[in-house]
Amino acid sequence: MNAVFLDLQGLDDLDLSVLENCFDTLTTFQGTSAEQVTERVKDADVIIVNKVQLTQAAISSAKHLKMICVVATGTNNVDLKAAAAEGVAVYNCQAYGIPSVVQHTFSLILALHTNLLNYDRAVRAGEWQKASQFCLLDFPIRELSGRKIGIIGYGHLGQGVAKIAQAFGMEVLVASRSVTDQRQGRISLEKLLPEVDVLSIHCPLTAETNNLIDASALALMKKEAVLVNVARGGVVDEQALADALRCGALAGAATDVLTQEPPRQGNPLLSSDIPNLIVTPHSAWGSKEARQRIIDQTVDNIKNHDSQNVVRRVV
């Protein structure tokens, strides 16, 4: 069985031996352009792909193709209808990054509450050296204990964040999905936003959640509150967030995601004059352990397909 991995970049530092052992040959490429896809997949029994687009033309041109393994959760880069029409199974990976994303979320929350970056910059600028006492306390430091965290998106990630928040002594409030969501323990967004000291976002980007946190939502929050977004950039109105931080309507924010990634055309949140903002490059998921789980899950998908015990089949 022959396999081709079209875009290995980002996973190329991992142990691929378990994956290589699944095939007679495994051909890997750091990346593949749209023009190169058809030629590279034409003899493959298995295509492994991360973000490269697999169109109907590419799928139908691979005459020996039996399965497509997506080394990510989202499968929007694969023409699923074309795969189904050709009898090609499509598999994805799930829940591989939960520990990594939860850890990153609290790295951001803690950095904001301790003013970690501002203190580091102050020391590097020589401010501690000029202090009149043994310590420097130029920036406010706040404890998490006794504060309220509001969570939007209460799947595995949101629940993982809630567990750590409770360990810090925080009270957890969970946003309801919609006005019709009457589940016990859920609070409407309009009631939740004025209550929380931390807003942590973990929901998918859909038509309903696009710009969910806009200027009107931000205006409901406390001036002392902070916002953390490790979901998708489009959930938060980026210009509105930049404006809120500039005028002091929000104490701080951190985001691991932007509406366009990489942000080659710029972004409102990349301006240098925005105070108390941390931006990380969609790296929350990227621990070595999480990325190795992607490889291991892909191996499981291949083996389960062979044994007809399909556990992560998308189509």
Side-chain angles (χ1 to χ4, degrees):
M1 188 161 61
N2 300 318
V4 60
F5 200 143
L6 293 178
D7 46 344
L8 182 61
Q9 187 175 14
L11 300 172
D12 49 343
D13 61 326
L14 303 175
D15 179 11
L16 300 179
S17 61
V18 289
L19 186 60
E20 293 168 346
N21 291 338
C22 294
F23 308 109
D24 297 312
T25 62
L26 172 63
T27 304
T28 63
F29 299 96
Q30 285 293 298
T32 298
S33 68
E35 295 75 23
Q36 294 171 319
V37 173
T38 300
E39 176 63 26
R40 290 182 174 179
V41 305
K42 66 179 182 180
D43 297 320
D45 299 292
V46 178
I47 299 173
I48 305 172
V49 63
N50 187 355
K51 296 295 185 287
V52 170
Q53 296 287 322
L54 290 180
T55 63
Q56 187 275 335
I59 292 170
S60 61
S61 70
K63 301 303 182 183
H64 308 291
L65 188 60
K66 300 177 180 63
M67 62 187 301
I68 296 169
C69 292
V70 182
V71 289
T73 301
T75 58
N76 56 299
N77 57 317
V78 178
D79 188 328
L80 298 178
K81 290 183 178 178
E86 297 288 341
V88 175
V90 180
Y91 299 81
N92 65 346
C93 297
Q94 300 173 8
Y96 54 85
I98 292 173
S100 183
V101 175
V102 170
Q103 176 177 298
H104 193 91
T105 300
F106 265 90
S107 295
L108 298 176
I109 292 172
L110 290 167
L112 289 170
H113 279 75
T114 60
N115 255 302
L116 187 69
L117 297 186
N118 284 328
Y119 276 112
D120 177 72
R121 292 173 187 136
V123 172
R124 294 175 185 275
E127 296 302 317
W128 191 17
Q129 296 86 321
K130 296 182 291 185
S132 59
Q133 60 173 334
F134 70 95
C135 64
L136 193 68
L137 293 173
D138 287 6
F139 308 101
I141 301 170
R142 295 172 295 169
E143 296 179 355
L144 295 180
S145 180
R147 300 175 75 82
K148 295 180 181 179
I149 183 171
I151 298 176
I152 299 177
Y154 204 57
H156 293 302
L157 284 173
Q159 292 172 39
V161 169
K163 183 177 180 180
I164 303 302
Q166 289 167 338
F168 272 102
M170 301 184 78
E171 180 181 347
V172 176
L173 304 180
V174 181
S176 56
R177 287 186 178 180
S178 65
V179 293
T180 60
D181 184 358
Q182 301 297 320
R183 285 175 292 174
Q184 186 175 4
R186 303 298 175 100
I187 304 172
S188 71
L189 195 60
E190 290 73 18
K191 291 182 179 180
L192 179 142
L193 290 175
E195 290 288 323
V196 299
D197 303 291
V198 179
L199 183 66
S200 193
I201 303 172
H202 305 279
C203 62
L205 178 61
T206 65
E208 290 73 26
T209 63
N210 185 54
N211 281 341
L212 178 68
I213 306 301
D214 57 10
S216 60
L218 292 169
L220 294 175
M221 297 180 66
K222 301 176 184 177
K223 289 185 177 182
E224 301 81 13
V226 301
L227 177 153
V228 175
N229 183 12
V230 294
R232 288 293 182 267
V235 177
V236 177
D237 183 326
E238 292 165 335
Q239 186 62 60
L241 178 58
D243 293 342
L245 291 168
R246 283 194 181 97
C247 72
L250 205 63
T255 184
D256 186 54
V257 289
L258 297 175
T259 49
Q260 184 183 48
E261 299 171 342
R264 303 193 194 282
Q265 307 303 317
N267 186 283
L269 294 178
L270 297 181
S271 179
S272 60
D273 68 333
I274 303 174
N276 298 325
L277 173 66
I278 301 172
V279 180
T280 53
H282 206 136
S283 56
W285 69 280
S287 70
K288 187 169 185 178
E289 293 84 355
R291 290 181 296 115
Q292 188 64 53
R293 281 192 286 272
I294 292 174
I295 298 298
D296 295 341
Q297 282 191 20
T298 300
V299 170
D300 289 343
N301 287 338
I302 294 163
K303 291 180 177 178
N304 287 328
H305 177 75
D306 290 342
S307 66
Q308 302 301 308
N309 178 24
V310 178
V311 293
R312 292 191 181 91
R313 188 168 179 174
V314 176
V315 178

